[in-house]
């Protein structure tokens, strides 16, 4: 076994986005592409000598090959020990769990989250730091800078490691431990939730749930949690074997892509709870019988009911939501007398708040919810949280949400995505909005009057770092709001996201179809941003 130093030249497109570097698989398969990025990660970290790293991914195509490369490069870069998931599998929340449990220096997670997989699908790689969360911008910028100047990388010349079962190996002086990544995750969940109560509910014969893992990473975790530990009948978890191409599907738990589950929950004799999670297991969708819970509402309901859950019964330090997420949780926080933080899109901004004990629960409108138990959003955690609430309250999902609206009012909410539009006009659309945002206050559109508008900028209350240009917000005097931003995770062209929200305190008005309730604002969004004109599209590709 020898360490080989390989000469290379920089790639110009290795800037990490909202959640690491994501590209189509063929891009990653170019000679040196993965290696350059991995070496840039290693070069940006202070002192790898003897440190522990966690490595694994969501099982998508190229996961196994990439892991072998990373192991060999880690060994050549003086890493002391690598904990790698059996079969290369680590859900993002489980990786965060294990980084924290073993006090690792960090972890390399291979995933493109909800983007499709397979030979022509997407692949991704991101670095998480010691607290188990995504690397902050300071580190991702350092990695990007390094990718621009890299001239060589180091790799061990040696045979592949067998990842099929738990075991210990040596690569030079580096130890490789292949571990079962499900067990530590289940253990952590047992410290937070009342497993006995949930078990009583799931085995009562009066309650049925359906969990759709969408052929992605949560399958093994969901089987272990719901069927093995919590007594749900076999078959409760569907599509529970991770496949390299996610069965050809789009592993995104929303009404569009999790349609099989939606059909079951909106069909005859529907179960009481439906849940789905995404490619790498950090997102979740919650459905009741013939009822969809928006992620923004889910965060609000979890916050309002946290006192029923063992892990959170002593109260919440605060809550945080990303800027485009609806303000439903703000109302709960106000009532509880706790702080509510509004952060830019992306989980990395929650890390500091959680570390500083300023927030306990966090969430995003994009089907992500989590807490201070780890530093990533956590799909199965959210499902367990809902199950625990249902087990304590003995009411249906719909009844719980309706009661919530009655108490706090309803935030009608929807996101319209225009995927794969041309980058240039998409940027022009945003530039135009940005130039308008400064002086829209007081402007009247029909009966909507602009209360404020800006390009969202965030000053981290813990380290003072400033993140600018995080999306155009236009708020109206009646509490409704339109937000425009471009996706930072897409891999083809640009994706324009338009977030539309209105607030309805009157319970007699809580039964309107969401798109109908938001219709005037949806029209207004197009009028203000000239979406049709810039994108050439007359409707969004995905509505959630
Ligand atoms: C999207 C979501 C964002 C989430 C991220 C990673 O990012 O909108 O909330 O944190 O995926 O899962 P975007 O493509 O909008 O930049
Ligand atoms: Zn994800």
């Amino acid at each position: 076994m020898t360490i080989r130093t390989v000469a290379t030249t920089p790639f110009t497109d290795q800037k990490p986005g909202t959640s690491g570097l994501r590209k189509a698989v063929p891009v990653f398969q170019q000679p040196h592409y993965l290696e350059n990025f991995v070496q840039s990660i290693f070069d940006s970290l202070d002192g790898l000598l003897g440190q522990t790293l966690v490595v694994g991914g969501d099982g998508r195509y190229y996961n196994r090959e990439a892991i072998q490369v990373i192991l060999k490069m880690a060994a050549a870069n003086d890493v002391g020990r690598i904990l790698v998931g059996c079969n290369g599998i680590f859900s993002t929340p489980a990786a965060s769990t294990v980084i924290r449990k073993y006090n690792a220096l960090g972890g390399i997670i291979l995933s493109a989250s909800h983007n499709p997989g397979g030979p022509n699908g997407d692949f991704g790689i991101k670095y998480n730091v010691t607290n188990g969360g995504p690397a902050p911008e300071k580190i991702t910028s350092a990695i990007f800078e390094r990718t621009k100047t890299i001239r060589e990388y180091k790799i061990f010349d040696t045979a592949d490691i067998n990842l099929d079962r738990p075991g210990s190996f040596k690569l030079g002086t580096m130890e490789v431990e292949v571990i079962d990544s499900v067990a530590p995750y289940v253990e952590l969940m047992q410290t937070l939730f009342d497993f006995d109560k949930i078990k009583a509910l799931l085995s009562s014969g009066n309650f049925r749930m359906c969990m759709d893992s969408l052929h992605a990473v949560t399958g093994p975790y969901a089987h272990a949690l719901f069927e093995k530990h919590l007594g749900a009948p076999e078959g409760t978890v569907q599509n529970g074997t991770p496949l390299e191409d996610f069965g050809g599907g789009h592993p995104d738990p929303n009404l569009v892509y999790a349609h099989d589950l939606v059909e079951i929950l909106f069909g005859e004799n529907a179960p009481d709870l439906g849940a789905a999670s995404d490619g790498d297991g950090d997102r979740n969708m919650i459905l009741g019988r013939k009822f969809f819970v928006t992620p923004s509402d889910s965060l609000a309901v979890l916050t309002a009911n946290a006192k029923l859950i063992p892990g959170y019964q002593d109260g919440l330090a605060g809550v945080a939501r990303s800027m485009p997420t609806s303000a439903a949780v703000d109302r709960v926080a106000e009532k509880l007398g706790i702080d509510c933080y509004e952060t830019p899109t992306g989980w990395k901004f929650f890390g500091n708040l959680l570390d500083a004990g300023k927030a306990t629960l966090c969430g995003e409108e994009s089907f992500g919810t989590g807490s201070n138990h780890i530093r990533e959003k956590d799909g199965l955690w959210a499902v367990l949280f809902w199950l625990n609430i249902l087990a304590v309250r003995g009411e249906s999902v719909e009844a719980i949400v309706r009661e919530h609206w009655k108490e706090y009012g309803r935030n009608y909410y929807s996101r319209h995505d225009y995927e794969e539009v041309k980058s240039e006009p998409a940027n022009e659309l945003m530039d135009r909005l940005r130039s308008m945002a400064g002086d829209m206050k007081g402007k009247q559109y029909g009966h909507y009057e602009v209360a404020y508008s800006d390009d969202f900028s965030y000053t981290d209350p813990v380290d003072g770092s400033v993140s600018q240009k995080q999306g155009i917000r236009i708020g109206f005097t009646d509490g409704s709001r339109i937000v425009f931003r471009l996706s930072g995770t897409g891999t083809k062209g640009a994706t324009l996201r338009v977030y539309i929200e209105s607030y309805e305190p009157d319970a007699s008005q809580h039964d309107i179809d969401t798109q109908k309730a938001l219709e005037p604002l949806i029209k207004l969004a197009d009028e203000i941003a000239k979406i049709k004109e810039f994108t050439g599209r007359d409707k969004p590709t995905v509505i959630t």
Side-chain angles (χ1 to χ4, degrees):
M1 283 196 296
T2 47
I3 293 177
R4 202 153 48 93
T5 300
V6 182
T8 187
T9 47
F11 291 88
T12 52
D13 63 346
Q14 296 198 319
K15 185 175 170 48
T18 311
S19 198
L21 182 68
R22 280 190 201 166
K23 299 283 173 195
V25 167
V27 174
F28 268 103
Q29 286 170 324
Q30 298 172 84
H32 312 310
Y33 194 89
L34 172 72
E35 291 86 347
N36 274 19
F37 193 73
V38 172
Q39 187 67 51
S40 299
I41 295 177
F42 290 155
D43 290 348
S44 309
L45 302 176
D46 288 334
L48 281 173
L49 185 67
Q51 296 280 3
T52 296
L53 290 179
V54 173
V55 176
D58 63 10
R60 68 178 59 225
Y61 187 85
Y62 202 53
N63 192 47
R64 281 176 169 262
E65 291 86 335
I67 288 177
Q68 297 292 348
V69 168
I70 294 167
L71 292 176
K72 291 170 196 173
M73 288 185 65
N77 279 277
D78 294 331
V79 172
R81 180 169 69 146
I82 293 263
L83 302 170
V84 56
C86 218
N87 294 312
I89 292 288
F90 249 122
S91 75
T92 291
S96 188
T97 303
V98 171
I99 292 170
R100 293 167 68 79
K101 177 173 167 152
Y102 289 89
N103 282 320
L105 175 72
I108 296 178
I109 304 178
L110 305 168
S111 167
S113 188
H114 49 288
N115 295 9
N120 293 309
D122 284 344
F123 190 74
I125 173 166
K126 72 170 182 170
Y127 183 71
N128 279 32
V129 292
T130 311
N131 72 357
E137 283 192 325
K138 199 173 77 194
I139 296 181
T140 54
S141 311
I143 295 170
F144 178 47
E145 289 308 313
R146 185 68 191 135
T147 66
K148 295 188 212 162
T149 57
I150 186 163
R151 292 280 162 232
E152 60 183 38
Y153 61 84
K154 283 194 274 180
I155 187 160
F156 234 106
D157 261 335
T158 181
D160 284 357
I161 294 267
N162 181 356
L163 301 175
D164 294 344
R165 63 191 75 86
S168 299
F169 303 88
K170 279 252 175 191
L171 274 187
T173 55
M174 184 181 87
E175 285 172 45
V176 179
E177 283 179 44
V178 182
I179 63 166
D180 164 18
S181 68
V182 174
Y185 181 75
V186 171
E187 272 164 34
L188 178 61
M189 294 301 113
Q190 283 169 325
T191 66
L192 300 172
F193 300 108
D194 190 337
F195 270 49
D196 291 339
K197 249 195 193 114
I198 299 174
K199 193 169 182 178
L201 176 75
L202 286 175
S203 49
S204 66
N206 297 324
F207 184 95
R208 279 180 304 131
M209 78 174 276
C210 179
M211 167 77 209
D212 193 340
S213 287
L214 298 173
H215 302 293
V217 81
T218 56
Y221 301 85
H223 280 300
L225 279 167
F226 304 122
E227 296 173 358
K228 187 168 151 218
H229 290 274
L230 291 167
E234 236 173 79
T236 295
V237 179
Q238 64 181 34
N239 302 324
T241 303
L243 300 177
E244 286 198 331
D245 65 350
F246 309 120
H250 195 138
D252 202 0
N254 60 40
L255 294 174
V256 177
Y257 295 124
H259 47 85
D260 290 353
L261 181 74
V262 174
E263 265 170 40
I264 293 172
L265 268 292
F266 283 80
E268 284 314 302
N269 193 25
D272 302 273
L273 176 70
S277 51
D278 71 331
D280 62 330
D282 54 359
R283 296 183 173 198
N284 75 91
M285 175 170 71
I286 300 290
L287 300 172
R289 186 179 290 152
K290 296 191 166 58
F291 192 83
F292 166 61
V293 185
T294 72
S296 297
D297 277 348
S298 182
L299 175 63
V301 170
L302 300 191
T303 304
N305 289 276
K307 59 182 180 305
L308 306 178
I309 311 298
Y312 307 95
Q313 64 191 4
D314 296 336
L316 306 175
V319 284
R321 64 161 173 85
S322 66
M323 179 274 281
T325 304
S326 99
V329 73
D330 301 35
R331 298 179 185 278
V332 182
E334 196 182 335
K335 189 150 189 178
L336 292 174
I338 57 176
D339 287 331
C340 180
Y341 297 88
E342 185 176 34
T343 62
T345 296
W347 207 259
K348 59 188 169 201
F349 296 98
F350 294 137
N352 276 357
L353 298 171
L354 296 168
D355 282 348
K358 288 182 178 294
T360 310
L361 301 187
C362 338
E364 292 192 279
E365 51 65 42
S366 53
F367 298 82
T369 353
S371 88
N372 60 353
H373 68 291
I374 53 173
R375 294 296 180 272
E376 288 278 4
K377 54 189 178 252
D378 190 344
L380 292 173
W381 167 90
V383 181
L384 289 167
F385 205 128
W386 267 96
L387 274 171
N388 203 151
I389 294 173
L390 294 167
V392 174
R393 290 187 50 172
E395 296 163 81
S396 71
V397 170
E398 177 170 357
I400 288 172
V401 175
R402 286 197 178 278
E403 225 169 278
H404 186 93
W405 290 341
K406 219 184 247 171
E407 186 170 351
Y408 297 96
R410 175 171 182 187
N411 290 70
Y412 281 101
Y413 185 85
S414 184
R415 184 175 104 183
H416 288 198
D417 293 335
Y418 297 78
E419 295 172 316
E420 294 183 30
V421 298
K422 293 208 177 73
S423 297
E424 210 175 277
N427 285 322
E428 279 165 20
L429 178 152
M430 289 302 292
D431 289 343
R432 180 175 161 272
L433 285 174
R434 198 165 285 128
S435 69
M436 285 160 59
D439 46 31
M440 285 181 78
K441 194 173 174 211
K443 228 176 148 110
Q444 197 80 30
Y445 292 94
H447 62 270
Y448 291 103
E449 184 188 333
V450 178
Y452 64 90
S453 69
D454 61 4
D455 191 352
F456 182 60
S457 159
Y458 177 69
T459 304
D460 186 298
V462 179
D463 65 19
S465 60
V466 178
S467 304
Q468 284 167 325
K469 294 192 172 182
Q470 296 296 325
I472 306 295
R473 316 188 278 184
I474 304 174
F476 301 95
T477 48
D478 67 349
S480 49
R481 191 176 69 142
I482 305 173
V483 172
F484 301 88
R485 60 179 282 281
L486 295 184
S487 158
T489 59
T491 53
K492 289 191 200 97
T495 292
L496 171 69
R497 303 201 195 286
V498 185
Y499 310 78
I500 309 130
E501 173 178 6
S502 72
Y503 178 64
E504 179 54 72
D506 179 358
S508 74
Q509 300 298 311
H510 287 170
D511 276 321
I512 306 168
D513 168 71
T514 299
Q515 298 306 315
K516 189 102 204 109
L518 295 173
E519 205 175 334
L521 286 163
I522 293 169
K523 283 207 179 113
L524 190 52
D526 184 50
E527 185 187 326
I528 295 176
K530 298 192 192 295
I531 300 171
K532 280 193 197 94
E533 201 177 308
F534 280 100
T535 66
R537 303 276 177 84
D538 55 9
K539 58 174 188 323
T541 37
V542 178
I543 296 182
T544 47

